[in-house]
Amino acid sequence: MCASKGSSNVSQLQRDIERWFGEAGKKPPGGQATGGVSRRRLMIVGVLVLLVAVAWVAKSVYTEWLWFGTLGYTSVYMKILLTRVGLFAVAAVVFAALFAGNIALASRLSPKGNADPTTQSVLPYLQRFNRAAVVAITLFLSLMFGVAAQANWELVLRFFNGQSFGVADPVFFKDVAFYVFSLPFLSLIRGWVLTAVIFSLLAAVAVYAIAYSSRGKRFDFARPVLTHGGVLIVAVALLAAMSYWLGIWDLVYSPRGAVFGAGYTDMHAQLPAQWILVGATLLLGVLIVLALIRRKVRWATYGLGLWVVLSIVVGQVVPGLMQRLQVQPNELQLETPYIEYNIEATREAFGLTMIEEQAFPAEPMPTVQEIQDNELTIRNIRLWDHRPMLDTYTQIQSIRTYYDFIDIDVDRYVIDSEYRQVMLAARELSKEKLPSEAQTWVNRTLQFTHGYGIAMSPVNEVRAEGGLPVLWIQDIPPTGIMDIERPQIYYGEKTDDYVIVGAQAQEFDYPMGDSNVYGSYEGAGGVPIGSILRRALYAWELSDFNVLISGQMTGDSKLLYHRDIIERAHHIAPFLSVDDDPYIVVLDGRLVWVLDCYTTSSRYPYSEPLEGGINYIRNSVKAVVDAYDGTVDFYVVDQEDPILQTYEAIFPDLFQPVEAMPEGLQEHLRYPLDMFSIQSAVYRSYHMRDARVFYNKEDLWAVPKEIYSGAEQPMEPYYVIMRLPGEEEEEFLLMLPYTPANKNNTIGWIAARCDGENYGRLLAYLFPKERLIYGPSQIENRIQQDTVITEQLALWARGGSRVIRGNLLVIPIGESNIYVEGVFLQADAGGLPELKRVIVAAGDEIAMERTLAESLSAVFGAGVGDGTTDLPPQTPDEPAEALPDDVRALVEQAQEHFTRAQEYLTQGNWAGYGEELAALEAVLEQLAGVTQ
């Protein structure tokens, strides 16, 4: 019965296998075995899938090659492409050889002879399945390992082309280039090889397990089998030990101590632990091999136990106890040298060593003579806030609903031989705002292809009527103080789609009255798609069948894509980080965009990382994109950056020296906001260079607070034109004041110079600590406490207007500072923001008048601000408008009720206080009714 039962099991297993493989031994009516048909079908499907995949890759490669070629950067694309292809091929072949080789060796070393009766009848099917499975699995895994390797093309190129930093870390004395370029590459190789060896080991074990179990043998492995397994285990052990060895260098990124980087515990406990674990891992590998050869499992158990104990005790417990029991009670004493390492590395990595620190007297208020001596500074004080200005531009200069202003930029131009600060914005096309019936493919792709022109205004001038900005460039076509010959914007901040130019249908150029002006693209940019093959490829690439079938195409048609300027620059140079605030420049009648590009790293030893992990940054490159033809140029502005030097070695045709930049464009280079914000944030702590002061955070700084539109927010860096102390001429700067942490008085300010040879120089002006210098939030509080100002603001608010208090600017003048803030009115229903008042504060004086000139005169004396240009000065022919008698009477009543309310509040007379507030409210309601 037992034999019969075993025979039954074999028969059932055989039937199952036959069913799986489609070979039941019976032929269909056509006389052909179904298994052969199935295999051929599978083969045909597989070949088709492979062909589609190859075609898809070839299509993408070809279209990318075309796009890079139109920009002149074919060599950049080919270097990246060939590196990726090479890495994929090498990795796939190496893995296939390692994986399949170990399977083949395991098959050769597996026991031969008769199979167990239970599996003998089905063994041919299993062997056939094993061969097919091995091929399929090997191909699939080789593909995966190749894909994983090619994704690290940048890391590999950086390793083989890395340039020296010329700076060594303070504990292992290796050049920083080792940590930035070499260590990540070694970690990549170790991880890739370890994973490949583990997969190969698992595959070999599976082959041996199938071979031994199918023949009913005990797992009594022969010596060659054990040797094979032992070699793989030793390889795993070596690679695991390499992980601990590389971990030694990673100690410079340890977060355990008082600061980032290797601390006392890391160097006195964790470092020896790493070496011990290297030895323990190698010993474990040897013991496992010996256990296999000598068939003494307990040896492997002992080795594993020892490794686990050492990993926990030596690797974790001992360093933890040292940190808690020895270091923390004596942290300052033991960690002082490592704090000094951190301070020095962080300052170097973020470029803070370039900051020139100077004392600034910060006298209570400027003298009248200092105001007069700094007339150009006064004339360029920015009264307009960029947020109300954006609303104003949108309402008065959009011209049509399908145009938008995305961002307001601040720059400077020489106008009538005078250095002037301006605000400007590009007028870009918003296709989504076209009427729904106009949302056709022809309109979106062939006709509405570009924005048009810019708006520009001085930062400090206001029309006498209405409080709107004075426009130096306006309207469509653009008119004003500069000629713009190419106002079309095919490439911008909002151009995130593709368009086709050179079609039969002319493009919409700009509106004129009740009709439109049409034109055709004449630029050199774009990929020609006149041939049917290219149109077919791009129809596939863009998933847009209309590109292929549209009858509008001609032999001169071009496809413009990757038109978003940030994405465009990043697509060419994906290894650069691009600033998210590009700005537009008028250059020789054309519009060009300037983008700041950064080299960054998270691998600088001992440097304190930012929230995103970056702990090294340089603004080494300026990318310039032509708004009309999309030409992109990359100019090097920091030749001393080792990371950029590495990329120059990799891509010698990509970068140009800054001297090759047009001189007119060099005059518009700005120190980037993102870079300055990062440096100023790090400098708040890392201006302290004494380890004890730094550890105790004795002199920690903060960013001041300001009031914008009724809400408190941190001040943002701002551009100014001013004369630095000791300099003869005004210049364009980016600056930000500081306050002590948890205090509101000003402690100093930091500035980045932008003009000429001084570009990139950083200055820090430190105020005296022995006396009070008002900070921005204290000035804001004084504004809120000034009864004249608050009454006027309350009056406007009750009159149905939204009061917007703009940026509060701290403007150094001579040896002191003045504070300037614009006040804007906007109707609650969404009217135009209008600049109605200017607040000026200096020392204990504060004033709010119609113009900057009047406010300066109110603070410093009559006639002091006559040189400013925010409003045309009033003449005897244009007297100031007087308040009507009834309004004046109501204002006086409101002032009386407010004064009495304050007196009652001081006396604690809450009943009287409430009565006066009620009376004040009634008067204000009457006043609102009169002024409407």
Side-chain angles (χ1 to χ4, degrees):
M1 292 181 62
C2 292
S4 176
K5 184 176 182 180
S7 176
S8 175
N9 290 338
V10 171
S11 299
Q12 180 62 42
L13 179 59
Q14 182 176 1
R15 286 194 295 272
D16 290 341
I17 296 296
E18 288 175 347
R19 185 172 65 254
W20 295 337
F21 282 87
E23 294 181 345
K26 299 178 183 179
K27 296 183 179 180
Q32 187 177 13
T34 58
V37 175
S38 298
R39 285 195 299 274
R40 278 195 295 274
R41 288 175 178 172
L42 289 174
M43 185 178 297
I44 292 172
V45 171
V47 170
L48 289 176
V49 171
L50 180 61
L51 288 176
V52 171
V54 170
W56 184 86
V57 172
K59 172 264 302 178
S60 299
V61 169
Y62 181 62
T63 54
E64 282 288 270
W65 180 77
L66 288 174
W67 185 81
F68 275 87
T70 61
L71 292 168
Y73 293 122
T74 303
S75 62
V76 175
Y77 177 63
M78 293 307 297
K79 172 63 73 71
I80 296 174
L81 177 64
L82 293 177
T83 302
R84 296 178 69 173
V85 171
L87 287 174
F88 175 85
V90 170
V93 170
V94 169
F95 178 81
L98 182 64
F99 187 77
N102 277 281
I103 291 177
L105 181 59
S107 299
R108 181 180 294 274
L109 298 179
S110 295
K112 305 297 187 293
N114 295 328
D116 183 88
T118 306
T119 57
Q120 185 173 7
S121 60
V122 298
L123 188 58
Y125 302 109
L126 292 175
Q127 290 173 340
R128 194 181 316 161
F129 173 74
N130 286 343
R131 286 193 295 271
V134 166
V135 172
I137 293 174
T138 301
L139 288 176
F140 176 76
L141 291 179
S142 298
L143 178 66
M144 293 299 100
F145 273 75
V147 169
Q150 64 84 32
N152 293 279
W153 62 268
E154 182 183 345
L155 189 151
V156 174
L157 287 176
R158 283 163 50 128
F159 170 74
F160 285 107
N161 296 275
Q163 305 295 305
S164 172
F165 275 69
V167 178
D169 78 277
V171 290
F172 299 121
F173 310 107
K174 286 189 171 292
D175 192 286
V176 171
F178 169 77
Y179 298 95
V180 175
F181 304 131
S182 301
L183 191 57
F185 176 78
L186 295 175
S187 298
L188 169 67
I189 296 299
R190 181 208 65 81
W192 189 94
V193 174
L194 177 60
T195 307
V197 171
I198 290 175
F199 270 83
S200 301
L201 175 61
L202 293 175
V205 170
V207 171
Y208 288 130
I210 292 173
Y212 275 83
S213 62
S214 65
R215 287 168 174 79
K217 292 180 176 291
R218 295 175 54 247
F219 288 96
D220 189 10
F221 299 110
R223 185 171 295 276
V225 174
L226 296 175
T227 302
H228 180 206
V231 170
L232 290 174
I233 290 172
V234 168
V236 172
L238 285 171
L239 292 165
M242 185 181 179
S243 176
Y244 286 114
W245 178 68
L246 294 176
I248 291 172
W249 318 115
D250 280 332
L251 290 177
V252 295
Y253 310 115
S254 171
R256 172 187 280 136
V259 291
F260 184 79
Y264 184 89
T265 299
D266 295 305
M267 297 305 298
H268 292 83
Q270 195 65 54
L271 177 59
Q274 294 294 119
W275 284 113
I276 291 172
L277 290 172
V278 168
T281 305
L282 294 175
L283 178 61
L284 173 60
V286 172
L287 288 175
I288 291 176
V289 173
L290 291 177
L292 292 174
I293 296 175
R294 297 295 183 88
R295 292 176 171 80
K296 295 184 181 296
V297 179
R298 65 179 182 276
W299 289 12
T301 304
Y302 294 156
L304 181 61
L306 176 62
W307 180 82
V308 170
V309 170
L310 290 176
S311 297
I312 295 174
V313 176
V314 177
Q316 300 180 33
V317 174
V318 172
L321 289 174
M322 176 179 286
Q323 181 70 22
R324 178 64 186 87
L325 301 178
Q326 182 179 355
V327 176
Q328 287 187 9
N330 307 282
E331 192 168 48
L332 178 58
Q333 176 185 353
L334 297 178
E335 296 279 18
T336 291
Y338 306 104
I339 294 174
E340 292 173 347
Y341 299 156
N342 173 268
I343 293 173
E344 182 179 355
T346 303
R347 288 175 57 85
E348 177 64 33
F350 287 99
L352 305 186
T353 56
M354 300 182 293
I355 297 178
E356 305 171 26
E357 296 182 351
Q358 303 178 27
F360 188 78
E363 298 297 337
M365 62 187 300
T367 64
V368 172
Q369 187 62 47
E370 286 175 331
I371 294 292
Q372 294 173 345
D373 291 344
N374 289 271
E375 179 183 344
L376 187 58
T377 299
I378 299 296
R379 288 170 62 85
N380 281 283
I381 292 177
R382 179 168 59 83
L383 303 181
W384 281 95
D385 186 286
H386 64 92
R387 288 154 291 199
M389 179 66 88
L390 182 60
D391 290 341
T392 301
Y393 273 12
T394 299
Q395 296 193 50
I396 68 174
Q397 278 297 300
S398 288
I399 310 299
R400 292 290 189 272
T401 57
Y402 42 77
Y403 286 124
D404 257 339
F405 292 98
I406 308 303
D407 185 33
I408 297 291
D409 299 319
V410 178
D411 202 353
R412 71 284 196 198
Y413 289 80
V414 176
I415 307 297
D416 295 332
S417 301
E418 185 176 343
Y419 203 40
R420 298 298 301 272
Q421 187 175 189
V422 302
M423 304 178 88
L424 68 163
R427 187 183 291 105
E428 299 204 46
L429 185 65
S430 295
K431 298 180 186 179
E432 69 276 6
K433 294 185 178 180
L434 290 171
S436 57
E437 59 272 14
Q439 294 287 341
T440 65
W441 184 84
V442 170
N443 277 345
R444 294 183 61 87
T445 310
L446 304 182
Q447 289 202 336
F448 288 87
T449 57
H450 57 271
Y452 206 90
I454 64 170
M456 177 189 289
S457 57
V459 297
N460 64 330
E461 293 192 22
V462 185
R463 297 181 194 172
E465 66 288 350
L468 297 177
V470 173
L471 294 172
W472 279 355
I473 298 179
Q474 59 184 318
D475 299 338
I476 298 177
T479 59
I481 62 174
M482 301 178 195
D483 293 329
I484 302 180
E485 300 171 2
R486 282 293 184 194
Q488 294 88 351
I489 300 175
Y490 284 88
Y491 300 85
E493 295 183 84
K494 195 176 175 60
T495 49
D496 53 1
D497 59 354
Y498 58 88
V499 297
I500 296 173
V501 297
Q504 292 181 11
Q506 283 193 310
E507 304 167 50
F508 166 76
D509 201 19
Y510 59 88
M512 178 171 285
D514 294 331
S515 61
N516 296 323
V517 175
Y518 294 87
S520 297
Y521 179 74
E522 299 176 357
V527 178
I529 56 170
S531 69
I532 189 68
L533 175 60
R534 288 193 179 182
R535 286 163 55 189
L537 287 174
Y538 274 105
W540 186 9
E541 175 72 10
L542 301 172
S543 300
D544 187 351
F545 193 53
N546 289 319
V547 175
L548 176 62
I549 66 174
S550 174
Q552 295 287 327
M553 302 302 174
T554 69
D556 296 326
S557 294
K558 293 181 179 181
L559 176 67
L560 312 184
Y561 65 113
H562 295 313
R563 297 194 303 137
D564 180 286
I565 54 176
I566 295 178
E567 189 267 340
R568 188 174 184 84
H570 190 264
H571 197 74
I572 298 171
F575 39 83
L576 297 176
S577 300
V578 183
D579 194 289
D580 60 3
D581 184 30
Y583 59 99
I584 198 162
V585 175
V586 181
L587 178 67
D588 299 329
R590 299 179 69 91
L591 301 177
V592 298
W593 295 94
V594 179
L595 297 84
D596 289 283
C597 301
Y598 308 104
T599 56
T600 60
S601 177
S602 59
R603 305 289 301 174
Y604 200 99
Y606 271 101
S607 175
E608 193 75 29
L610 302 175
E611 186 175 344
I614 292 174
N615 67 354
Y616 174 93
I617 186 170
R618 290 291 187 273
N619 172 221
S620 300
V621 177
K622 303 284 187 179
V624 179
V625 183
D626 190 291
Y628 184 71
D629 63 23
T631 303
V632 184
D633 294 300
F634 294 88
Y635 297 99
V636 177
V637 293
D638 183 1
Q639 192 60 60
E640 303 301 317
D641 176 19
I643 296 182
L644 180 67
Q645 293 172 1
T646 298
Y647 288 129
E648 286 185 294
I650 298 171
F651 305 105
D653 300 327
L654 178 59
F655 300 102
Q656 304 177 53
V658 70
E659 291 77 15
M661 179 184 290
E663 184 176 347
L665 187 56
Q666 293 184 39
E667 296 173 356
H668 292 279
L669 295 183
R670 308 184 318 185
Y671 201 84
L673 274 169
D674 284 359
M675 179 75 174
F676 186 77
S677 297
I678 289 173
Q679 290 179 305
S680 59
V682 176
Y683 189 63
R684 285 156 46 192
S685 299
Y686 284 87
H687 70 277
M688 298 179 283
R689 279 171 266 182
D690 181 270
R692 180 180 294 274
V693 174
F694 183 91
Y695 177 80
N696 292 321
K697 300 292 186 282
E698 296 177 18
D699 194 22
L700 191 64
W701 294 351
V703 175
K705 302 288 187 181
E706 65 172 350
I707 302 294
Y708 175 76
S709 190
E712 189 176 62
Q713 64 179 26
M715 288 189 71
E716 300 174 351
Y718 50 92
Y719 292 101
V720 296
I721 288 180
M722 59 166 284
R723 185 190 304 172
L724 288 168
E727 298 293 333
E728 296 182 358
E729 296 182 351
E730 281 78 5
E731 57 185 284
F732 193 62
L733 302 170
L734 179 61
M735 66 171 292
L736 180 71
Y738 286 119
T739 65
N742 302 317
K743 293 186 178 180
N744 295 324
N745 58 291
T746 306
I747 196 67
W749 52 279
I750 184 173
R753 305 177 77 171
C754 301
D755 288 348
E757 296 180 354
N758 291 319
Y759 175 85
R761 289 183 60 189
L762 299 176
L763 305 172
Y765 291 90
L766 310 181
F767 292 179
K769 297 182 179 181
E770 62 272 10
R771 56 186 174 83
L772 172 67
I773 294 108
Y774 287 124
S777 61
Q778 291 172 321
I779 296 296
E780 296 280 24
N781 290 335
R782 289 180 55 202
I783 292 174
Q784 292 178 321
Q785 293 168 0
D786 187 283
T787 56
V788 175
I789 294 176
T790 54
E791 286 176 11
Q792 180 63 68
L793 299 184
L795 177 63
W796 281 329
R798 287 186 172 273
S801 297
R802 177 189 175 205
V803 178
I804 302 174
R805 289 171 54 186
N807 288 129
L808 177 67
L809 303 184
V810 182
I811 309 295
I813 300 289
E815 295 185 345
S816 185
N817 306 296
I818 64 172
Y819 301 83
V820 180
E821 180 177 281
V823 179
F824 304 85
L825 286 188
Q826 184 178 24
D828 288 336
L832 284 169
E834 298 178 356
L835 179 61
K836 287 299 186 182
R837 293 291 186 271
V838 179
I839 300 175
V840 172
D844 294 327
E845 301 296 325
I846 189 167
M848 183 180 75
E849 301 295 343
R850 294 176 57 252
T851 68
L852 175 61
E854 293 173 3
S855 293
L856 288 171
S857 296
V859 171
F860 293 98
V864 171
D866 288 348
T868 61
T869 58
D870 52 325
L871 273 178
Q874 293 180 349
T875 65
D877 296 331
E878 294 182 359
E881 183 180 353
L883 288 175
D885 293 338
D886 55 345
V887 174
R888 183 183 300 278
L890 288 173
V891 170
E892 292 175 355
Q893 291 181 35
Q895 178 65 46
E896 292 174 1
H897 288 303
F898 180 80
T899 302
R900 284 198 292 268
Q902 292 296 106
E903 293 174 355
Y904 285 138
L905 180 62
T906 304
Q907 300 169 4
N909 186 345
W910 299 106
Y913 178 71
E915 292 174 358
E916 291 300 328
L917 283 184
L920 175 60
E921 182 178 5
V923 173
L924 291 176
E925 288 177 354
Q926 295 179 44
L927 191 57
V930 170
T931 56
Q932 285 181 346

